[in-house]
Amino acid sequence: MTNPRILSGTAHPALGDAVSEALGTEPVECEVERFPDGELQPVIGHVRGEDVYVVQPTGPKVNGHLVELLLLLDACRRADAARITAVVPYFGYARQDRRTRAGQSVGARVALDALTAAGANRLVVVDPHNPALEAMSTIPVETLTAVPLLAHTLAEHAPEAAVLVSPDLGAVKLAERYGALLGRPVAVVHKTRLSGSDVQAEELIGDVADRPAVIVDDMISTGGTIEAAVQVLLAQGATQDITVAATHPLLVQQAPDRLARLPINLLLVTNTVPPGRVRTLPHRVRSVAPLLAEAIALLHGGEPLDTLLMRA
């Protein structure tokens, strides 16, 4: 059996290279030409009859990276690849999973349909904001998680007295997974979103008095949710020994400055998107390349991901 072929876009070439190295395979040659008006035109190497995995997170700048992914998938299809899997560690538009007012679109469904139309036979994601992506997709969706990877590191750094904190109601199940892996109690912050970047935290469910806190979420965008959670925790008597763990460090706009003003002693993230903006903060980055490589090896061999998913 031939090796799987890894094709990396320009969103995160270092991750694609790390996946190729972990699999012991040479990446597919790829060149993306950029026209003066902003159009993209990828040119890829030989993939006829191959099992191709296109590695391209759709983090900032989301729209450009999504369009590039669609063009890469189309290039593979037109080059007569036998099977095409979109490996999208961070899946942009996952938050837009339903309409909250008249006149809105459902961005997650649009993005999924576009991937299918461009040629993807399957999608691989890591800790998507909406875990029910597959219910909206017409192709199989393999959902991986970085929670065990991050929890292993937290076990080394988080004090025994630490409390796992969900910064909003949407992250409760995630916090409970961390709590189960680490054997620590869970607290929940109830918040109200005022705008895309501003959040108001209203109350805390759980006891954090005189205890360090570990805030966990799937992603950090503007940092507003983390900032609001920290303010509530301190008001409720938590110590100024706060750790934050998230799979996707988007850190857009002024997020690094916002987080730098808080008493955060460690920001623990993965490299599902380029983690360059965490460098101004006390941080540790765990690579998801081994996780992706193992999943690709199993899929390429026609094996189920059950053993991989059971670790979660």
Side-chain angles (χ1 to χ4, degrees):
M1 180 185 296
T2 60
N3 289 328
R5 303 299 307 280
I6 307 302
L7 171 60
S8 180
T10 64
H12 199 351
L15 180 59
D17 289 345
V19 172
S20 293
E21 183 177 353
L23 289 167
T25 183
E26 287 295 318
V28 177
E29 292 183 6
C30 178
E31 193 173 311
V32 179
E33 184 177 357
R34 298 179 184 273
F35 293 93
D37 64 355
E39 286 187 16
L40 306 175
Q41 186 174 57
V43 180
I44 66 172
H46 177 77
V47 294
R48 183 183 297 274
E50 302 275 14
D51 185 16
V52 181
Y53 296 79
V54 182
V55 180
Q56 174 87 341
T58 52
K61 301 178 177 180
V62 176
N63 296 332
H65 291 150
L66 176 59
V67 170
E68 181 183 333
L69 173 59
L70 296 175
L71 295 173
L72 289 169
L73 294 170
D74 182 71
C76 291
R77 179 173 62 85
R78 295 178 187 277
D80 202 21
R83 186 171 64 174
I84 308 166
T85 300
V87 180
V88 189
Y90 171 73
F91 189 88
Y93 285 99
R95 286 176 287 185
Q96 298 186 35
D97 59 343
R98 60 188 177 275
R99 296 190 303 163
T100 57
R101 53 182 290 190
Q104 289 184 331
S105 64
V106 182
R109 179 59 188 266
V110 173
L112 288 165
D113 286 349
L115 293 180
T116 304
N121 304 120
R122 181 171 46 203
L123 172 65
V124 176
V125 296
V126 180
D127 289 332
H129 191 72
N130 177 9
L133 278 180
E134 187 163 23
M136 293 185 283
S137 176
T138 57
I139 59 174
V141 178
E142 305 290 352
T143 301
L144 307 178
T145 180
V147 169
L149 178 67
L150 295 175
H152 179 76
T153 304
L154 285 175
E156 302 171 0
H157 292 275
E160 285 293 327
V163 178
L164 275 297
V165 178
S166 168
D168 56 29
L169 296 179
V172 171
K173 288 186 177 180
L174 179 66
E176 290 174 344
R177 288 165 65 192
Y178 276 102
L181 288 170
L182 295 169
R184 310 287 169 82
V186 173
V188 181
V189 174
H190 183 269
K191 76 172 187 184
T192 298
R193 180 166 290 283
L194 305 176
S195 69
S197 59
D198 294 319
V199 171
Q200 177 179 313
E202 299 172 341
E203 62 178 323
L204 177 72
I205 302 170
D207 181 17
V208 297
D210 300 319
R211 303 180 73 167
V214 179
I215 302 172
V216 296
D217 211 345
D218 63 303
M219 60 186 284
I220 304 174
S221 182
T222 66
T225 296
I226 300 299
E227 181 181 47
V230 169
Q231 290 171 350
V232 168
L233 290 169
L234 296 179
Q236 294 295 321
T239 67
Q240 295 203 6
D241 181 7
I242 295 176
T243 300
V244 176
T247 301
H248 311 293
L250 306 183
L251 298 181
V252 299
Q253 299 175 2
Q254 301 305 311
D257 294 336
R258 200 173 206 170
L259 297 181
R261 294 192 293 266
L262 303 174
I264 296 173
N265 61 32
L266 176 66
L267 176 61
L268 175 63
V269 297
T270 78
N271 63 340
T272 55
V273 296
R277 301 203 79 199
V278 306
R279 291 174 184 163
T280 59
L281 303 163
H283 69 276
R284 184 169 177 186
V285 179
R286 297 301 308 270
S287 177
V288 295
L291 173 67
L292 294 174
E294 188 170 358
I296 289 170
L298 289 170
L299 293 171
H300 178 66
E303 300 293 330
L305 299 186
D306 295 355
T307 55
L308 188 59
L309 299 177
M310 283 176 63
R311 300 177 196 169

